[in-house]
Structure formats: structure tokens, C-alpha cells
Amino acid sequence: MQTNPHSKLGKGMMIAGWAIALLILTSIFAKFESSQNNPNQQLEVTQTVNGEVQVHLKRNRYGHYVLTGQINQKDVTFLVDTGATYVSVPEAVAEQLGMIKQGQGYVQTANGTVTVYYSTIRQLTIGDIELYDVPANINPHMDDDEVLLGMSALKHVEFTQRGNTLILKTSS
């Protein structure tokens, strides 16, 4: 019994088509999931009549404010944390950013007391808001790549929450 060579080719093409369709669907789902966690990948920035810059952040589906910003002109993902005294950078991210450890200390976290390293962020950018020489810590105990945007940065801006929106504004 002979097999039709066109039949094998047809089966191969069908398998390849399904594989490509699955790859496309996986990519679409990954982008959707990313936008659900960080709805602020493209920041909404406005300016008041007084020249103050405002950055409008949308709350994600978990109730947090996650946004894309920059540390030392490199993109990072921030999680707004008004309970954190300092901007807290995971050690792996700090190494990528070229941050320098300037001494060791201890901080109290939800998981207990942990050792961190003090550092300074030369430039921290949120939309059109730029902050300089922001005290930070490098935390070797943080497993993910989100940087906690703590009060050492947030104290330089006014912030107001209205519904599901957090507005950061440069101080007058």
C-alpha cells in the first residue's frame, strides 16, 4: 500500500498551523495578563495651569498601584508602597542598575526583620516627574523584580486617591 506524499505534507502543515496558532494565543494571553498586573505601562501625564506635573495611576485588579518607571534611566516596575520607609530594590535588579551598596542595616518587613544594604538612586523617574539622590535600600530577600516605591521617594510628591486612581503631583 502506497502512502500519498501530499497527505503527509497536509498533516505536517496542519500541525504547524496549530502550533503557530497556539504560540500567537499564548503571546496574546501573556500581554493581557501583564496589562492586568501593570495597567500603567503607558503613564497618563498632565500638567496643571500652575505648571505642576500630574501622573495618573490606575489600580490593578489586585487593588495595587503598579507602574513602569525608571531608575537611573533604566526601565523598572514599581509597586507603590506607602508603608515602606525607603524605595526597596531587589538585589538582582540593583545589580542590573549598577547600584552601589553603601552599608548594611536592618528593616522590619511583613516577614520579619531582614538585612538590607543602603544605597542612593541617582535619578528616579515616574512619567515626567524626576527625583534625584533618593535614599533606597537593596534587599537580597526580595524574589521578584518589582521595586517598592516607598516614602523616601513619595515624600517629594503630593498624592491623592480618587476611586481607582492615584494622582501623583509635583509639590509646589
Side-chain angles (χ1 to χ4, degrees), residues 31-39 41 59-62:
K31 287 181 183 177
F32 172 76
E33 187 177 24
S34 175
S35 70
Q36 292 294 302
N37 182 55
N38 181 357
Q41 294 177 24
R59 188 172 11 200
N60 71 10
R61 67 180 176 177
Y62 307 109

Side-chain angles (χ1 to χ4, degrees), residues 14 16 28-29 40 68-69 73 75 84 96 118 122 126 131 135-136 139 144 160 164 166:
M14 186 169 23
I28 290 169
F29 182 73
N40 301 297
T68 302
Q73 299 179 340
D75 288 347
Q96 293 172 355
Y118 300 116
R122 291 186 316 274
I126 304 166
L131 306 173
N139 189 333
D144 59 9
T160 307
N164 289 329
L166 181 68

Side-chain angles (χ1 to χ4, degrees), residues 134-146:
V134 178
N137 62 46
I138 298 170
N139 189 333
H141 307 284
M142 294 173 70
D143 295 329
D144 59 9
D145 61 352
E146 286 182 344

